[in-house]
Amino acid sequence: GYAAHLAILVQELAMVEREAHHRVRRPGSSRRLRRGSISPEGGMAFTSGPGMINLLLVEDDPYQADAIKMLCEECGYRSTLTSSAPEALEYLSRNPEINLVLSDVMMEGTTGFELLCEIRELRSSVSVIMISAYESIDLVEQCIAAGADAYLLKPLRIHELRNMWQYVWRRRHE
């Protein structure tokens, strides 16, 4: 059920947070690789973190939108704001670099849940995190079952946003 799924998500997030605090070194290597440096195998090394995020924020309340966008940028995410699901889908289809969508659930017209379903049809590789002021177990379960990577409650806190990049990293490495 929901409680078991939530417990697993919390455990996974704790594990990913612990891993993020320790730089991963290649076996036999004493030096750290920097973004864009050449790895011992000759390919490009990739460093994960907030800098990898190209975020699309979908929020129809201007006050909430400005506050959330400011928090996201404070975390180091490059973010673009849209105020409706149709606008978000249009932007997403024209900008393949978007790898994370942070969407309000309750919006006028097309809901965030409907947007989530359309994003999953359009681009399954994009991480989608749903946000809402409403704590409804049924709604959370519905969003997770439809492919949301997480569900956050408003008001959002900076410590919740700081680790969103890990959902993108996980989806990219599945």
Side-chain angles (χ1 to χ4, degrees), residues 65-83:
D66 289 342
I68 296 168
K69 188 172 190 319
M70 186 177 68
L71 284 173
C72 289
E73 289 174 352
E74 196 172 312
C75 291
Y77 304 135
R78 289 179 299 279
S79 60
T80 301
L81 175 63
T82 57
S83 60

Side-chain angles (χ1 to χ4, degrees), residues 20 48-50 52-53 77 161-169:
S48 57
M52 71 183 279
I53 299 298
Y77 304 135
L161 297 176
R162 272 204 181 103
N163 296 315
M164 286 191 312
W165 67 268
Q166 295 167 0
Y167 292 104
V168 173
W169 187 90

Side-chain angles (χ1 to χ4, degrees), residues 26 31-45:
R26 296 190 184 279
R31 65 182 179 85
R32 290 188 179 136
L33 296 173
R34 291 188 309 268
R35 180 188 315 256
S37 63
I38 304 296
S39 73
E41 291 78 27
M44 293 300 282

Side-chain angles (χ1 to χ4, degrees), residues 64-123:
Q64 290 280 333
D66 289 342
I68 296 168
K69 188 172 190 319
M70 186 177 68
L71 284 173
C72 289
E73 289 174 352
E74 196 172 312
C75 291
Y77 304 135
R78 289 179 299 279
S79 60
T80 301
L81 175 63
T82 57
S83 60
S84 70
E87 184 184 352
L89 286 170
E90 159 71 19
Y91 190 87
L92 193 60
S93 67
R94 289 186 291 109
N95 294 275
E97 72 279 3
I98 296 296
N99 54 12
L100 175 63
V101 175
L102 185 60
S103 177
D104 188 16
V105 176
M106 302 295 182
M107 294 187 293
E108 291 292 321
T110 306
T111 67
F113 177 76
E114 293 166 332
L115 173 63
L116 167 65
C117 294
E118 291 187 44
I119 289 172
R120 283 291 162 251
E121 287 180 22
L122 182 67
R123 288 183 35 204

